[in-house]
Amino acid sequence: PAQEWAEQYVGSLRHARQTSSYDAGPFSELSLAATLPVQQVVASYKACERSAGQRLLIFGLLGTLIDYESFASLQPPPQWVRRNLAALAASPHNTLVVLSGRERALLNEWLGDLPIWLVAENGLWIRPPPGWESGGGGGGGAAASGSAASLPASTWEMVAEGVDDSWMASLKPIFKYFEARTPETLTEVQEHTITWHYCDAADEFADVQAVALQSHLVKVSGNAPVEVGLDMKRVEVRPYGVSKGAAISRILEQLSARWRLEQRIESEERLARLTEEPAERLSRRSGSLSPDE
């Protein structure tokens, strides 16, 4: 009951904020997208190369790489987007991540050949670049030495363990019911999550429907290990503890572990060279001396 009340309350607040002209003071602009400071971004990007630093570039699929119309009609990212991603991944200073709510099979089909990290189902699945498991890939210039398609395919890793999706059969008809009675909406059923999109629907009616759908899903899901979210013109049910932030944390852990391994190998090789050089000089000197000397 407490969870249901909280979900309804938060949903009502979001709806009120979207439909009201109430002055929220210093917080009134938080929902508005600020203009990208292009010059500042470019300067920071170039400064990273001068300092031999590393950049983690994270892109959302919907709204960044493709628009909602392409998303709803299952159109893949255009070729110019793929070329730009490959060009960014070719830099030894860059590691690229593409986040999406789409299922992993579709992401593999659209972007799986690129040397980038993929995150599917809003954080449930992550996939390293091709060749990662064999010690290659990882972005950071992986594309510079050849096509990622020639590298061994990478496997998908489930971020959450023991996912129970037995709830999907009972909740899917509810999503379909709201889709049918709300024009210009879309229900997206993935392997372990279900999402209702209402980006193109009439604002006021769709906002009311979204709050009602969220409330009903919370009530029906009961004690199922899921989270019901309402945000960014969508209502989503996903396994508990799954998020894009958790997926990025897992990727950073793997990148950090790979970096520490590479640093250790480099240190061992440097130490080996330092110990071999005196021995080689001594050997050459001994060989140059005559027996009388």
Side-chain angles (χ1 to χ4, degrees):
Q3 175 69 19
E4 179 181 347
W5 177 86
E7 296 285 358
Q8 291 178 345
Y9 183 71
V10 172
S12 298
L13 286 177
R14 285 177 175 154
H15 173 65
R17 177 66 186 89
Q18 292 173 355
T19 59
S20 173
S21 58
Y22 172 74
D23 183 9
F27 302 101
S28 60
E29 303 299 321
L30 291 179
S31 61
L32 301 179
T35 303
L36 183 69
V38 177
Q39 293 182 347
Q40 181 180 346
V41 171
V42 172
S44 177
Y45 187 93
K46 293 181 177 179
C48 185
E49 295 185 0
R50 290 193 296 268
S51 62
Q54 294 294 312
R55 292 179 290 247
L56 179 65
L57 306 178
I58 303 174
F59 301 95
L61 181 67
L62 175 58
T64 302
L65 303 182
I66 61 174
D67 56 24
Y68 181 75
E69 182 180 353
S70 299
F71 175 85
S73 59
L74 296 179
Q75 297 179 28
Q79 287 301 314
W80 65 267
V81 169
R82 287 175 48 84
R83 287 194 299 269
N84 286 338
L85 290 174
L88 288 171
S91 169
H93 300 282
N94 293 342
T95 296
L96 269 64
V97 181
V98 172
L99 301 166
S100 175
R102 291 295 195 187
E103 60 186 19
R104 49 183 176 154
L106 193 61
L107 281 186
N108 256 345
E109 179 183 341
W110 286 357
L111 302 171
D113 61 321
L114 297 178
I116 62 178
W117 289 80
L118 298 176
V119 178
E121 291 200 46
N122 288 319
L124 180 58
W125 297 95
I126 63 174
R127 195 223 66 175
W132 174 263
E133 285 92 344
S134 59
S145 59
S147 172
S150 63
L151 297 172
S154 293
T155 57
W156 287 88
E157 173 190 350
M158 182 179 283
V159 176
E161 297 181 358
V163 172
D164 177 11
D165 56 8
S166 59
W167 53 270
M168 295 186 70
S170 61
L171 296 190
K172 182 179 177 181
I174 300 174
F175 280 93
K176 291 297 186 181
Y177 172 78
F178 277 83
E179 179 184 359
R181 68 192 298 236
T182 313
E184 303 301 327
T185 62
L186 168 69
T187 298
E188 182 184 11
V189 181
Q190 299 98 348
E191 290 181 83
H192 303 283
T193 60
I194 306 179
T195 307
W196 184 70
H197 299 270
Y198 61 100
C199 292
D200 284 349
D203 284 342
E204 292 187 8
F205 179 64
D207 288 336
V208 173
Q209 290 289 82
V211 173
L213 172 58
Q214 180 194 31
S215 175
H216 194 56
L217 289 171
V218 169
K219 184 182 301 182
V220 174
S221 61
N223 296 324
V226 298
E227 293 178 304
V228 182
L230 190 166
D231 198 10
M232 302 293 292
K233 294 291 185 178
R234 65 173 182 255
V235 178
E236 181 181 64
V237 180
R238 60 178 181 267
Y240 183 79
V242 170
S243 70
K244 293 178 180 177
I248 292 298
S249 295
R250 180 69 66 89
I251 291 174
L252 288 174
E253 290 174 3
Q254 296 193 22
L255 289 172
S256 179
R258 173 65 63 87
W259 180 82
R260 290 194 300 270
L261 175 61
E262 292 174 348
Q263 291 296 306
R264 188 173 75 248
I265 293 175
E266 183 179 343
S267 297
E268 292 174 352
E269 291 177 346
R270 188 184 304 115
L271 179 61
R273 288 194 299 269
L274 291 175
T275 55
E276 288 173 359
E277 288 176 0
E280 291 177 358
R281 289 198 298 269
L282 180 60
S283 176
R284 288 196 299 269
R285 183 182 178 192
S286 299
S288 64
L289 296 175
S290 65
D292 295 337
E293 294 177 313

